[in-house]
Amino acid sequence: MMTQTMRAIRVHHYGDPEVLQVERVPRPEPEKGELLIRVHAAGVLPMEYFIRKGHLPGILPKSFPYTPGTAFAGVIEKLGPDVTGWEVGQAICGRAPNGTYAEYTTVQAHPPALAPDTVGYRNTAGISPLALKPETLSFAEAATLSGGATTAWTALFEDGNLQAGQRALIHAAAGGVGLFATQFARWKGAQVIGTASTANLDFVSSLGAETVIDYTTTPLEEVAHDVDFVLDTVGGETLQRSLRVLKRGGTLVTVMEPAPVELAEQLGVHAIKNAVFPTSEHLQRIIQLIDEGHVKPTIRQIFSLDEAPLAHALCETGHGRGRIVLHIAD
Ligand SMILES: NC(=O)c1ccc[n+]([C@@H]2O[C@H](COP(=O)([O-])OP(=O)(O)OC[C@H]3O[C@@H](n4cnc5c(N)ncnc54)[C@H](OP(=O)(O)O)[C@@H]3O)[C@@H](O)[C@H]2O)c1
């Protein structure tokens, strides 16, 4: 039988965005318990350029060549042996750890739930929440949920315990994580203070933030105080200063770096590094909120697979609103 092939980005060594080159490679075959997915769109996550640059070698060891990407939306092309609960032709979305900057990828049909990552970083190899694609979303929009909505959800409601009536400070509220966190916090009934640069203030207000802080002009301490909850997606000085605007007993969840637990203790607050892995149940709950009209994704820009270097270069700027997406099939 002739081996079927597909187009995929293959990275042969760490480097600049130009190392993201399209090649023709064998199409994967689903093994026992796996789905073969025809990828229609892949979300471009900041983590993927850190990996491409070789900045996370101890956390995510990669053998070369590898295909980047995990967030996807696509259609089930084939079921591996012993797969139940899914059907060929279903449109699905979520995370597939074997590489999604490609026409096809494989994923476990029913990934096991993983215990929280107590090491303080995420070895993401085993995470693959999956769900039926919301009918109201395009493939490109659905590809923004994993690593954006799922991270926001677990940080707010699993690592943290954000409650109705609380005051929440959401950093980088225009970003791929923050735009969902802002909407989730509002849906929960929290009062949201969002941070963004001048160009994104109106956007963050439109997501439901009552207060927006222009981090390029206004120190956050001038506006935010007695906060119950902080989502930190910036790290560094922003994280340290955010601890000081929490009320006593308040909680900061960071997705960026080890939590400064000692400083938090001195200040009488909690600092937590996000550690709860998103599950398919989390993703399904998010999709329910989307279907009910409480939450909507935002795409920053769509690129073709061949344009993956441009997509990474844009992502590396660290600015802008919404998630960058690769369009792979109509
Ligand atoms: N640990 C995890 O599991 C996990 C998961 C997802 C993401 N992350 C990390 O979280 C970070 C954000 O991810 P993302 O997907 O949201 O990134 P993104 O989509 O690229 O968005 C970045 C956002 O940061 C904003 N920003 C930049 N500097 C800022 C500052 N000093 N204060 C406030 N906002 C600022 C930008 O807004 P302006 O254009 O307005 O500047 C932009 O909207 C990344 O570093 C990513 O690696 C970690």
Side-chain angles (χ1 to χ4, degrees):
M1 197 178 77
M2 269 220 334
T3 311
Q4 290 182 294
T5 62
M6 66 171 183
R7 299 175 79 238
I9 298 287
R10 300 292 278 169
V11 175
H12 289 265
H13 54 85
Y14 295 131
D16 291 337
E18 288 64 38
V19 301
L20 302 168
Q21 289 298 323
V22 177
E23 292 177 14
R24 193 156 274 286
V25 297
R27 197 182 87 170
E29 270 299 304
E31 295 183 359
K32 188 175 168 178
E34 287 185 341
L35 307 174
L36 176 67
I37 310 291
R38 172 74 165 111
V39 181
H40 285 240
V44 175
L45 305 179
M47 180 185 231
E48 286 147 18
Y49 77 74
F50 297 145
I51 296 170
R52 192 207 72 228
K53 287 177 157 187
H55 289 176
L56 297 176
I59 296 177
L60 282 170
K62 284 278 184 193
S63 57
F64 291 103
Y66 74 91
T67 296
T70 59
F72 81 95
V75 172
I76 299 177
E77 177 84 9
K78 188 175 176 183
L79 306 180
D82 298 344
V83 169
T84 55
W86 294 107
E87 289 170 24
V88 169
Q90 284 177 317
I92 65 172
C93 63
R95 184 173 188 123
N98 295 333
T100 57
Y101 293 11
E103 290 177 329
Y104 294 88
T105 192
T106 52
V107 65
Q108 281 187 70
H110 300 287
L114 298 177
D117 177 3
T118 51
V119 186
Y121 60 75
R122 307 186 137 205
N123 187 334
T124 54
I127 313 175
S128 45
L130 297 177
L132 289 173
K133 180 180 84 65
E135 284 185 10
T136 52
L137 297 190
S138 65
F139 283 105
E141 289 171 324
T144 71
L145 300 183
S146 177
T150 53
T151 302
W153 185 273
T154 52
L156 263 55
F157 303 128
E158 298 285 350
D159 299 298
N161 183 25
L162 182 64
Q163 296 294 324
Q166 290 189 325
R167 197 195 304 240
L169 171 62
I170 308 290
H171 282 298
V177 175
L179 73 91
F180 284 109
T182 301
Q183 295 177 83
F184 292 154
R186 281 294 293 146
W187 161 78
K188 187 74 180 174
Q191 186 192 335
V192 179
I193 306 167
T195 68
S197 64
T198 315
N200 290 325
L201 298 179
D202 288 346
F203 172 66
V204 172
S205 295
S206 77
L207 299 172
E210 277 101 339
T211 309
V212 283
I213 302 176
D214 183 342
Y215 72 85
T216 67
T217 60
T218 310
L220 68 98
E221 300 82 355
E222 275 185 19
V223 180
H225 52 84
D226 292 327
V227 166
D228 297 282
F229 178 89
V230 177
L231 175 63
D232 169 52
T233 52
V234 178
E237 193 195 327
T238 299
L239 189 170
Q240 302 282 329
R241 285 170 46 198
S242 298
L243 281 177
R244 299 175 188 278
V245 302
L246 280 168
K247 64 168 67 154
R248 277 191 83 78
T251 299
L252 176 146
V253 175
T254 178
V255 300
M256 296 303 292
E257 54 198 57
V261 178
E262 278 179 26
L263 176 59
E265 255 175 38
Q266 287 165 22
L267 297 169
V269 300
H270 306 285
I272 299 169
K273 172 78 169 77
N274 73 314
V276 175
F277 292 113
T279 63
S280 296
E281 288 70 32
H282 293 134
L283 184 56
Q284 283 154 8
R285 185 75 182 98
I286 289 163
I287 287 172
Q288 190 185 348
L289 295 190
I290 291 170
D291 284 339
E292 289 169 0
H294 296 293
V295 174
K296 61 180 189 334
T298 298
I299 293 174
R300 179 165 177 202
Q301 196 169 332
I302 298 179
F303 294 90
S304 68
L305 194 58
D306 300 86
E307 292 172 327
L310 294 176
H312 267 221
L314 182 62
C315 189
E316 283 185 54
T317 66
H319 298 288
R321 67 178 70 163
R323 178 67 75 219
I324 298 164
V325 173
L326 297 181
H327 168 87
I328 298 171
D330 289 329

